[in-house]
Amino acid sequence: MYTIIGAGIGGLTTAVVFEKLNIDYQLYEKSKRPNALGAGIWLAPNALQVLEFAGVIDSIFKVSNVVDRITLSNEKLKPLADSSQLPAKEKYGFSTVAIHRAKLQLALIKAIPKDKIHWNKAFASYKQEDNAVTVTFQDGTTTQSQYLIGADGIDSKVRGQLFPKSQIRYSGQTCWRGVMKSALPAEYKDRGIEMWGKGIRFGLSQLSENETSWFAVKNSEAFQKDDRAVLKKKLLSYFKDFHPLVNELISNTEINAILRNDITDLKPIKHWQKDNVCLIGDAAHATTPNMGQGGAQAIEDAYYLGKLIAKNPTENNFKAFENKRFKRVNNIVKQSWFTGKIANLNTGYSVRNALFSTLPKKLIDKNMYSVYDLKD
Ligand SMILES: Cc1cc2nc3c(=O)[nH]c(=O)nc-3n(C[C@H](O)[C@H](O)[C@H](O)COP(=O)(O)OP(=O)(O)OC[C@H]3O[C@@H](n4cnc5c(N)ncnc54)[C@H](O)[C@@H]3O)c2cc1C
């Protein structure tokens, strides 16, 4: 039996994959109910292949928008790199989709029996004895199982106990995300766009017939707070030189639908598991969002861990899981950190843009498809 802590993208997908593979589990989440907060995320073809395997792809497609073209551009929307996702669709069966995080989580929750998710259960600590792990929750209750999976996100308490020296890194950039309650002009409907300016960037994609998601990233000190009364005005001034779509999106988004997060990741740790306890998703390898792969890697973790357990049900598969995933995921964490530095360059940004526009398309596509590949 597996105890999973955290009903985020990784924990929920693990539960759905375990259902599919008949692996016994119980899932515990600190929130009182499914969280409606958040904004849009992209699900790349690697994530969609897992969600298809898990049997939830139809419900995901019902509440998302397909992105068939991904454009990296300068601030005026002049392309630096423009990739059709159709070759990915041919190769992997899917291009990318844009979806509201809350809708993704609801689609996953619906695929899990109600008596296997326990809300309002905040993990406090665990104790390993022989071949069992006892978890204590903040309300004083306990549960015992053979294995414990920490899927409790970047600030993981399970990791805090397992690897107390792990460190969160601030990237030097902060991010505002918003959801506008209307669609984009038709010509942008199936596009994911990221515009790079001087020390700032802006991204957007439609999520559904009446929702469009955007993000704005700026170099900043850590832990700053917004004066919400003037936030929109400030954002509009940062992005005043950008394509008019940016102004439209910021202006037409309700202030309550704008969230701010400092961009951080987890400094890669040496191991993700020890004995009967294993971390997955952001708890193990939180990455910056620059490649849109954090959630996708949590989803992949669920898939590979499930497959290993199904193949060797009587063994501890955590070490094999770490061996299988470690290199690929850490490469993505590194590449994403580096991409963020390039994307928000202050000095030399025009040289960067000029260089990017000359990069061979084949090279850009090759790099992208290597991330989309799901290998058994
Ligand atoms: C700005 C931004 C944009 C992003 N865009 C993308 C994108 O486009 N595509 C993509 O693939 N990824 C994206 N990501 C990354 C993605 O959001 C994360 O990688 C993903 O959410 C990780 O899933 P997880 O399940 O590991 O953690 P989370 O989704 O954070 O879930 C952790 C869960 O654990 C629960 N929890 C925490 N502590 C406890 C406790 N003590 N007890 C019980 N439960 C607990 C939390 O409440 C939460 O439900 C983005 C991230 C950010 C910040």
Side-chain angles (χ1 to χ4, degrees), residues 7-10 12-13 16 34-35 37 39-44 47-48 51 56-57 59-61 63-64 97-112 211 295-296 298-299:
I9 294 174
L12 288 169
T13 311
V16 178
N35 200 334
L37 273 179
I41 67 166
W42 286 358
L43 289 177
L48 295 176
L51 296 171
V56 289
I57 198 71
S59 46
I60 301 287
F61 272 120
V63 292
S64 62
V97 303
I99 186 169
H100 196 293
R101 179 187 296 267
K103 289 185 181 170
L104 166 64
Q105 297 197 189
L106 275 182
L108 293 167
I109 288 167
K110 276 190 192 145
I112 301 168
E211 288 169 316
I299 289 170

Side-chain angles (χ1 to χ4, degrees), residues 252-311:
N252 293 323
T253 300
E254 283 172 26
I255 186 70
N256 292 341
I258 303 180
L259 309 168
R260 176 185 182 139
N261 291 94
D262 285 341
I263 295 185
T264 54
D265 78 357
L266 176 67
K267 188 171 171 201
I269 50 180
K270 286 203 178 98
H271 293 284
W272 299 342
Q273 51 73 42
K274 190 167 181 290
D275 303 325
N276 289 17
V277 182
C278 185
L279 306 170
I280 64 160
D282 278 10
H285 47 68
T287 178
T288 50
N290 307 309
M291 290 169 67
Q293 273 291 322
Q297 290 309 309
I299 289 170
E300 277 194 25
D301 281 350
Y303 174 75
Y304 288 109
L305 182 58
K307 293 273 253 187
L308 282 166
I309 295 170
K311 203 167 157 201

Side-chain angles (χ1 to χ4, degrees), residues 6 8-10 29-30 42 101 121 123 151-152 177 281-282 289 292 294-296:
I9 294 174
E29 162 62 43
K30 74 173 178 186
W42 286 358
R101 179 187 296 267
K121 282 285 176 192
F123 167 94
D152 49 342
R177 287 173 293 160
D282 278 10

Side-chain angles (χ1 to χ4, degrees), residues 70-74 77-83 191-196 201 343 353 356 364:
I70 295 183
T71 306
L72 174 62
S73 76
N74 73 3
L77 203 42
K78 180 171 174 237
L80 305 175
D82 210 355
S83 271
R191 293 181 64 182
I193 296 174
E194 187 163 332
M195 298 174 227
W196 286 4
R201 65 191 140 121
N353 283 7
F356 256 83
I364 296 170

Side-chain angles (χ1 to χ4, degrees), residues 209-224:
E209 289 309 315
N210 54 11
E211 288 169 316
T212 299
S213 181
W214 55 265
F215 63 87
V217 180
K218 185 177 180 301
N219 295 335
S220 163
E221 303 270 299
F223 311 123
Q224 305 296 302

